[in-house]
């Protein structure tokens, strides 16, 4: 598959409660980010994709798609009726992300592939 899904997020007002819910239900174990209400869960034995569960002002579930160029992808998304929610942004640690809404209003993330 070109441009695979590489990350997911489940975000809500109480990240601790969300992590407990999914952890208790599915056996997910988290690495919690220091000084944040965000925990990362790894894929298990090569099955599934890694992701994060945490706190946010807005509640949402989304997935992130790998792309060689967030800028080019966001331009193509705009030409097809989508809207940029977050432009190309470098996070601490070097991960580069962006976000958009599709024509139906679903929020989807992009992760720029390492050069």
């Amino acid at each position: 598959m070109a441009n695979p899904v590489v990350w997911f997020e489940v975000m809500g007002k109480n990240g601790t409660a969300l992590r407990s819910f999914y952890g208790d239900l599915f056996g997910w174990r988290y690495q919690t980010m220091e000084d944040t209400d965000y925990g990362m869960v790894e894929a298990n034995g090569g099955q599934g994709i890694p992701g994060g569960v945490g706190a946010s002002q807005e509640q949402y579930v989304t997935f992130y798609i790998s792309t060689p160029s967030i800028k080019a992808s966001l331009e193509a998304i705009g030409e097809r009726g989508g809207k940029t929610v977050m432009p190309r942004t470098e996070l601490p640690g070097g991960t580069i992300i962006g976000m958009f809404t599709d024509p139906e209003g679903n929020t989807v993330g992009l992760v720029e592939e390492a050069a």
Side-chain angles (χ1 to χ4, degrees):
M1 169 196 303
N3 303 96
V5 173
V6 296
W7 191 261
F8 73 87
E9 282 186 326
V10 179
M11 304 297 286
K13 294 182 181 175
N14 187 333
T16 301
L18 280 172
R19 284 189 300 281
S20 291
F21 175 81
Y22 286 101
D24 293 347
L25 188 60
F26 298 115
W28 294 358
R29 305 260 186 264
Y30 301 95
Q31 177 184 5
T32 305
M33 304 283 295
E34 189 174 325
D35 297 326
T36 68
D37 192 357
Y38 190 86
M40 296 183 295
V41 61
E42 293 185 17
N44 186 10
Q47 291 186 313
I49 60 171
V53 180
S56 174
Q57 296 289 341
E58 297 180 36
Q59 296 169 286
Y60 64 88
V61 175
T62 196
F63 59 91
Y64 289 76
I65 300 167
S66 177
T67 182
S69 170
I70 289 176
K71 184 175 187 261
S73 291
L74 290 174
E75 288 173 5
I77 287 161
E79 292 168 1
R80 290 165 177 81
K83 293 185 173 54
T84 297
V85 174
M86 176 192 294
R88 184 182 186 276
T89 303
E90 186 169 347
L91 301 176
T95 301
I96 301 170
I97 67 170
M99 296 187 88
F100 67 94
T101 54
D102 66 20
E104 293 290 328
N106 298 300
T107 301
V108 178
L110 299 168
V111 176
E112 195 163 280
E113 298 168 0

